[in-house]
């Protein structure tokens, strides 16, 4: 009898059609899992919905098997009963099988009950998930989000305190803080206040900005600034691993609003633990689960190398302090540890761009960031794309599109607001740029660049009093910042107050004594002011100092560009082009162009100088080398080439071609005065004095903050030519006016320029006598 049991079981399986039932059930289960997965991602269902559905399907599997077996046995029994009932049998004998069948048909394992039970189970799961989501959205109970409860508002500012270190590695806490900041910054629900902002708050509190930014200090600063919440975390050791915990705290009361914790078995799991920690905090704040899940894991969008992340964190702090040299070195170390660390490449490109002088390295870094963009957060990806098109290829339309897309998701992103403002500024849409800068200032009033950029566009609109008021607001918010002296000097120079500008620059130079960057900046600015006033010997001294400093900073191309700057004094002012070109040729012997990366070679600056010096063939050779060495996509965005082509055309007597090139140069620049004298010279050569007069008049009256650069070469020429033209027209009053401005400008000029001053005085006397 025992030997018949397997056969009996097999017959039962066959009768129950178990394999077909299993196939149908598994197929249906797969479909259910896919639907639940799609709804979890698209609707943002809680994380427990998917595993809950899997558990219900697993519970249902044995029920389905048992139901199939029971129902498979009932069918043959009923058929047998039907056959028996057709034969005459004793009444008593027929009652037993009938009772068995009745019991089987009334069994709780029926298909109807199995299907109804499954439907009810999933309905309960759906009701539970809906209730949970409703409570979360409405702010009900412990699952209600802080935004839904009204504790925080959408886009509210929060500040991140430094993680408390309870390990033997203090740098680890700093790295964890910065990594947590990167992840939290992805949230579109809250606005994370930047570290540089909080450092300025501390300065106003008369606290050392470099002091540890712990929970107590962060809470005090948050109360002062009206920030509603502080994120405070700590990292502890647990055997060979770590425990990371974070609390969201009310700075007013100290109440803990949210507390979350994660563990890491070892250092390799620290970054994933930070990721989970941030996700849980963002969920409790009120960010949609769909938004959170859209973010890639931190180790994929930053780096899996904790050591590379350490270097990046240290570099961030250095760059924020404008210590670009240190920041660049650390970022290069980070990218050597992880050669696909896209975020570090982007930061490196921006730092190199801000420091200046190394175009090739800058473009390579930004190109690497874009090439590895899959390793970036969505926000960083758009920033990398925009930076590449803006800085490397000068494709402004694509850069604008990237920033606008970023602002659709992160409307308070200060980097996108500022950089989009700069692109509007480059279009000479000064009003639109100012609106974006003001939006950025509303988010972060401690970032100096938002103040200074606002000053630039206000000045460009001729709103000098507004520009002064903005600088005053900056002085209140950022007292002692070196940019204050720099921009006060620019504002004074733009309005012709050269003594005041010089005073500001000399004070800044003294304050920043020992800082090579500021020494270079002030030397250049002081040289421009001296050139404008005809003090060529003074200008030459500052230019030599600037070249010396830049050589010390390790910028090889400045050996040549510095020589070009000094050569202009002979070519442009003293009328000794041969002497000026000798200075350049000597510099090229010391530092051949072949020893400089192609993009850093000053081809265009050299060509422009040679063209104005009457050496058109040499200028064309340099332009040919520029075209051969520079990628066409990059070359297209280098607008200064049109200035060079125009000057070559002018040197060759092709005045109309020169006008076309200069007009194209003028149209591509934000500066409304930089091409003026080149255009005026070309129109003069073409014999169109009315256009010369209109251009020089516009040039002399157009507001522009950074006039000291172009003015230092062309303002005396414009005044002199305007005076000549008005004298020729018989307009004595205007002729005297411009001769007088020339005399006032050059009254303290070097002796070699005094004959021009005397000539202007005699012309004024003659015109006054005639009148």
């Amino acid at each position: 009898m025992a030997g018949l049991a397997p056969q009996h079981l097999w017959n039962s399986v066959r009768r129950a059609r178990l394999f077909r039932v299993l196939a149908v059930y598994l197929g249906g289960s797969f479909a259910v899992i896919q639907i639940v997965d799609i709804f979890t991602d698209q609707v943002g269902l809680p994380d427990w919905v998917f595993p809950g559905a899997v558990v219900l399907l697993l519970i249902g599997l044995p029920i389905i098997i048992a139901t199939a077996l029971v129902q498979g046995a009932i069918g043959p029994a009923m058929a047998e009963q039907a056959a028996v009932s057709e034969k005459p049998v004793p009444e008593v004998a027929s009652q037993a099988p009938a009772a068995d069948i009745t019991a089987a048909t009334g069994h709780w394992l029926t298909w109807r009950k199995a299907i109804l039970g499954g439907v009810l189970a999933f309905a309960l799961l759906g009701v539970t998930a809906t209730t949970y989501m409703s409570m979360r959205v409405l702010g009900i109970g412990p699952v209600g989000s802080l935004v839904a409860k009204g504790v925080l508002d959408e886009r509210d500012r929060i500040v991140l305190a430094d993680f408390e270190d309870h390990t033997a590695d203090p740098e680890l806490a700093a790295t964890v803080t910065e990594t947590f900041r990167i992840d939290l910054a992805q949230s579109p629900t809250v606005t994370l206040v930047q570290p540089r902002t909080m450092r300025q708050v501390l300065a106003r509190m008369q606290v050392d900005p470099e002091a540890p930014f712990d929970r107590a200090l962060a809470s005090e600063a948050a109360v002062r600034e009206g920030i509603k919440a502080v994120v405070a975390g700590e990292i502890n050791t647990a055997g060979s691993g770590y425990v990371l915990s974070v609390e969201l705290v009310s700075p007013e009361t100290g109440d803990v609003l949210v507390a979350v914790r994660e563990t890491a078995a070892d250092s390799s799991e620290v970054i994933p633990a930070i990721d989970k920690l941030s996700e849980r905090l963002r969920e409790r704040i009120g960010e949609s689960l769909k938004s959170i899940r859209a973010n890639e894991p931190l180790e994929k969008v930053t780096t899996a190398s904790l050591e590379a992340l350490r270097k990046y964190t240290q570099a961030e702090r250095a760059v924020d302090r404008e210590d670009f040299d240190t920041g660049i070195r650390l970022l290069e170390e980070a990218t050597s540890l992880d050669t696909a660390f896209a975020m570090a490449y982007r930061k490196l490109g921006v730092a190199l761009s801000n420091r200046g002088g190394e175009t090739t390295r800058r473009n390579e870094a930004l190109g690497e960031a874009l090439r590895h963009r899959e390793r970036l957060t969505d926000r960083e990806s758009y920033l990398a794309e925009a930076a590449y098109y803006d800085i490397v290829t000068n494709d402004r339309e694509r850069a604008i599109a990237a920033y606008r897309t970023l602002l659709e998701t992160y409307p308070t992103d200060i980097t996108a607001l500022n950089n989009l403002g700069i692109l509007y500024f480059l279009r000479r849409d000064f009003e639109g740029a100012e609106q974006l800068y003001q939006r950025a200032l509303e988010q972060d009033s401690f970032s100096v660049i938002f103040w200074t950029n606002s000053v630039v566009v206000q000045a460009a609109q001729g709103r000098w009093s507004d520009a002064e008021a903005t600088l005053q607001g900056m002085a209140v918010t950022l007292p002692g910042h070196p940019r204050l002296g720099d921009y006060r000097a620019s504002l004074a120079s733009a309005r012709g107050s050269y003594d005041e500008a010089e005073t500001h620059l000399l004070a800044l130079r003294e304050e920043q004594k020992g800082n090579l960057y500021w020494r270079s900046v002030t030397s250049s600015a002081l040289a421009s002011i001296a050139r404008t006033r005809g003090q060529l010997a003074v200008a030459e001294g500052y230019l030599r100092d600037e070249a010396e400093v830049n050589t010390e900073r390790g910028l090889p191309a400045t050996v040549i560009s510095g020589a070009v700057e000094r050569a202009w004094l002979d070519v442009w002012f003293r009328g000794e082009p041969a002497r000026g070109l000798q200075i350049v040729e000597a510099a090229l012997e010391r530092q051949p162009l072949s020893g400089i990366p192609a993009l850093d070679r000053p081809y265009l600056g050299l060509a422009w100088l040679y063209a104005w010096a009457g050496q058109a063939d040499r200028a064309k050779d340099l332009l040919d080398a520029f075209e051969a060495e520079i990628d066409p996509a990059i070359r297209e965005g280098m607008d200064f080439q049109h200035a060079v082509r125009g000057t070559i055309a002018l040197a060759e007597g092709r005045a109309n071609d020169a006008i076309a090139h200069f007009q194209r140069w003028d149209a591509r620049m934000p500066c409304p005065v930089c091409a003026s004298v080149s255009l005026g010279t070309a129109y003069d050569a073409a014999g169109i004095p009315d256009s010369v007069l209109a251009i020089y008049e516009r040039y002399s009256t157009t507001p522009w903050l950074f006039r000291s650069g172009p003015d230092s070469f062309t303002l005396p020429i414009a005044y002199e030519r305007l005076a000549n033209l008005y004298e020729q027209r018989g307009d004595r009053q205007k002729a005297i006016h411009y001769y007088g401005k020339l005399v006032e400008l050059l009254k303290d000029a070097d002796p070699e320029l005094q004959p021009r001053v005397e000539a202007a005085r005699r012309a004024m006397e003659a015109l006054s006598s005639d009148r």
Side-chain angles (χ1 to χ4, degrees):
M1 294 295 291
L4 295 176
Q7 184 63 39
H8 177 72
L9 179 61
W10 176 248
N11 290 336
S12 297
V13 170
R14 289 181 60 192
R15 285 195 302 270
R17 298 178 179 177
L18 186 58
F19 294 122
R20 184 180 299 176
V21 170
L22 283 175
V24 172
Y25 184 77
L26 292 175
S29 297
F30 179 77
V32 168
I33 287 173
Q34 292 299 313
I35 292 170
V36 171
D37 187 46
I38 291 171
F39 270 82
T40 300
D41 284 339
Q42 298 299 318
V43 180
L45 296 177
D47 289 333
W48 47 261
V49 171
F50 184 82
V54 173
V55 168
L56 289 179
L57 291 169
L58 291 175
I59 292 172
L61 181 60
I63 295 174
I64 288 296
I65 293 173
T67 301
L69 290 172
V70 169
Q71 293 301 313
I74 290 174
M78 292 181 66
E80 183 180 346
Q81 173 61 26
V84 170
S85 66
E86 294 176 2
K87 299 180 181 181
V89 293
E91 185 176 346
V92 175
S94 66
Q95 288 176 351
D100 291 341
I101 293 168
T102 301
T105 56
H107 199 281
W108 61 273
L109 287 172
T110 66
W111 287 119
R112 181 175 179 275
K113 291 179 180 178
I115 293 171
L116 182 60
V119 171
L120 289 174
F122 273 94
L124 179 61
L125 179 66
V127 169
T128 304
T130 302
T131 303
Y132 176 92
M133 295 293 290
S134 299
M135 292 175 67
R136 183 174 184 271
V137 171
L138 297 174
I140 300 171
V143 300
S145 72
L146 297 179
V147 170
K149 290 179 178 180
V151 177
L152 294 175
D153 295 327
E154 288 277 352
R155 311 290 180 190
D156 252 346
R157 295 184 301 161
I158 63 174
V159 61
L160 175 62
D162 293 340
F163 270 63
E164 293 181 21
D165 174 52
H166 298 290
T167 71
D169 182 3
E171 275 298 325
L172 180 60
T175 304
V176 169
T177 303
E178 186 58 38
T179 309
F180 193 85
R181 188 190 317 282
I182 292 168
D183 197 274
L184 196 55
Q186 296 185 79
S187 174
T189 305
V190 292
T191 301
L192 189 60
V193 181
Q194 296 300 310
R196 60 176 174 269
T197 300
M198 298 317 298
R199 279 198 295 273
Q200 295 299 330
V201 173
L202 296 180
R204 286 203 301 170
M205 293 167 59
Q206 297 185 337
V207 175
D208 181 3
E210 301 303 322
F213 194 58
D214 57 21
R215 179 192 299 229
L217 192 55
S219 296
E220 184 181 351
V223 170
R224 288 175 63 100
E225 295 302 310
I227 297 170
K228 289 186 179 180
V230 171
V231 180
E234 60 180 50
I235 179 169
N236 295 274
T237 55
S240 61
Y242 302 93
V243 177
L244 293 86
S245 56
V246 163
E247 293 179 344
L248 189 70
V249 182
S250 168
E252 291 278 1
T253 64
D255 293 342
V256 176
L257 306 175
V258 176
V260 290
R261 175 177 293 191
E262 288 290 339
T263 60
D266 53 41
S267 61
S268 66
E269 294 188 8
V270 168
I271 296 175
I274 296 170
D275 206 2
K276 293 176 185 176
L277 205 63
S278 174
E279 285 182 6
R280 292 174 60 193
L281 179 63
R282 289 161 62 184
E283 179 183 353
R284 291 299 309 279
I285 287 173
E287 185 176 348
S288 73
L289 297 174
K290 178 182 176 181
S291 170
I292 294 171
R293 292 192 187 108
N295 298 147
E296 290 286 343
L298 264 176
E299 59 185 341
K300 289 187 178 179
V301 296
T302 54
T303 176
S305 168
L306 192 60
E307 186 58 29
L309 207 49
R310 287 177 193 265
K311 299 290 186 184
Y312 178 84
T313 300
Q314 295 165 10
E316 276 272 6
R317 295 200 296 264
V319 171
D320 278 348
R321 294 192 301 266
E322 294 193 0
D323 183 0
F324 295 117
D325 294 342
T326 301
I328 288 167
R329 175 179 56 78
L330 288 165
L331 288 166
E332 288 179 332
E333 290 176 12
T335 54
S336 67
L337 290 167
D338 180 356
T339 56
F341 193 175
M343 194 174 290
Y345 280 121
R346 189 190 77 79
K347 194 73 175 180
L348 176 60
V350 172
L352 286 165
S353 179
N354 288 338
R355 187 176 75 170
E358 293 182 278
T359 305
T360 300
R361 288 176 69 198
R362 178 200 70 187
N363 288 3
E364 287 174 352
L366 292 174
E368 285 295 307
L370 194 64
R371 189 162 72 89
H372 297 291
R373 65 182 304 174
E374 75 282 355
R375 291 276 307 274
L376 292 169
T377 64
D378 286 345
R379 175 181 174 275
E380 284 279 338
S381 179
Y382 285 121
L383 289 175
E385 179 183 352
Y388 182 81
Y389 292 127
D390 178 16
I391 298 172
V392 179
T393 65
N394 209 13
D395 189 341
R396 294 173 187 168
E397 294 306 314
R398 294 181 75 174
I400 287 171
Y403 284 128
R404 284 175 174 168
T405 303
L406 173 58
L407 287 170
E408 288 175 6
T409 305
Y410 302 97
T412 58
D413 188 281
I414 54 177
T415 302
L417 287 170
N418 179 69
N419 291 356
L420 183 59
I422 291 172
L423 289 167
Y424 282 6
F425 162 76
L426 293 173
R427 289 176 161 184
R428 297 188 189 174
D429 181 1
F430 303 131
E431 184 178 352
E434 185 179 6
Q435 291 173 2
L436 288 162
Y437 297 148
Q438 291 300 312
R439 282 174 59 188
L441 264 176
E442 289 171 6
Q443 299 302 318
D444 183 2
S445 62
F446 295 98
S447 183
V448 65
I449 195 170
F450 307 150
W451 291 100
T452 54
N453 284 351
S454 295
V455 172
V456 172
V457 292
Q458 287 165 347
Q461 296 172 75
R463 290 163 40 210
W464 298 111
S465 59
D466 288 342
E468 288 176 349
T470 299
L471 277 178
Q472 186 57 39
M474 177 181 164
V476 172
T477 309
L478 303 170
H481 198 288
R483 290 290 175 195
L484 272 169
D486 184 23
Y487 273 71
R488 281 172 172 158
S490 294
L491 192 60
S493 178
R495 303 176 75 175
S497 300
Y498 300 115
D499 288 338
E500 180 187 347
E502 193 174 61
T503 299
H504 286 306
L505 289 169
L506 290 172
L508 173 59
R509 190 179 181 86
E510 181 62 26
E511 290 167 7
Q512 298 297 319
K513 190 187 312 181
N515 186 311
L516 295 179
Y517 171 78
W518 283 111
R519 183 174 151 195
S520 172
V521 168
T522 54
S523 289
S524 177
L526 287 164
S528 292
I529 291 173
R531 262 198 316 254
T532 305
R533 304 169 89 174
Q535 297 167 351
L536 305 185
V538 174
E540 188 165 13
Y542 281 124
L543 289 174
R544 288 185 182 279
D545 184 69
E546 181 190 10
E548 179 184 329
V549 171
N550 287 334
T551 301
E552 189 175 346
R553 294 172 67 203
L555 305 174
T558 59
V559 172
I560 299 172
S561 58
V564 169
E565 286 287 324
R566 295 197 307 279
W568 278 112
L569 298 175
D570 293 314
V571 171
W572 191 261
F573 295 97
R574 296 182 177 120
E576 299 180 19
R579 179 182 168 186
L581 295 181
Q582 283 177 359
I583 296 172
V584 174
E585 293 296 339
L588 287 170
E589 287 183 12
R590 293 195 308 274
Q591 177 60 70
L593 290 175
S594 58
I596 302 173
L599 280 174
D600 295 327
R601 297 172 191 170
Y603 285 126
L604 296 178
L606 285 166
W608 204 39
L609 176 72
Y610 276 99
W612 278 114
Q615 302 286 328
D617 290 340
R618 177 75 167 118
K620 286 194 288 187
D621 289 342
L622 289 162
L623 195 57
D624 289 343
F626 164 75
E627 292 180 343
E629 294 288 343
I630 308 301
D631 184 286
I634 297 173
R635 191 174 69 233
E636 179 60 28
M638 300 174 77
D639 302 322
F640 190 63
Q641 64 178 300
H642 304 301
V644 176
R645 296 181 194 281
T647 309
I648 291 172
L650 198 59
E652 293 180 335
R654 296 181 286 110
N656 289 331
D657 289 342
I659 291 169
H661 286 300
F662 290 143
Q663 286 175 334
R664 188 173 180 185
W665 175 36
D666 182 56
R668 289 283 295 176
M669 282 193 302
C671 174
V673 300
C674 293
S676 297
V677 169
S678 296
L679 270 168
T681 305
Y683 276 114
D684 243 341
I688 312 175
D690 288 347
S691 294
V692 177
L693 192 68
I695 287 170
Y696 285 159
E697 276 283 10
R698 185 173 68 241
Y699 165 67
S700 65
T701 57
T702 296
W704 185 246
L705 187 67
F706 303 118
R707 288 193 61 114
S708 63
D711 280 357
S712 68
F713 286 96
T714 57
L715 191 58
I717 292 173
Y719 285 160
E720 194 171 44
R721 190 68 181 117
L722 281 168
N724 295 157
L725 289 169
Y726 279 120
E727 185 177 5
Q728 291 169 14
R729 291 185 169 210
D731 191 334
R732 293 189 179 90
Q733 185 176 355
K734 285 193 173 181
I736 291 171
H737 170 74
Y738 282 110
Y739 277 131
K741 291 183 80 68
L742 177 64
V743 169
E744 177 63 24
L745 183 66
L746 299 181
K747 64 182 179 181
D748 296 320
D750 288 354
E752 55 203 310
L753 297 182
Q754 286 303 321
R756 293 175 66 182
V757 179
E758 288 304 316
R761 284 199 180 98
R762 287 195 299 271
M764 290 174 65
E765 292 170 0
L767 288 167
S768 298
S769 175
D770 288 347
R771 181 168 57 183

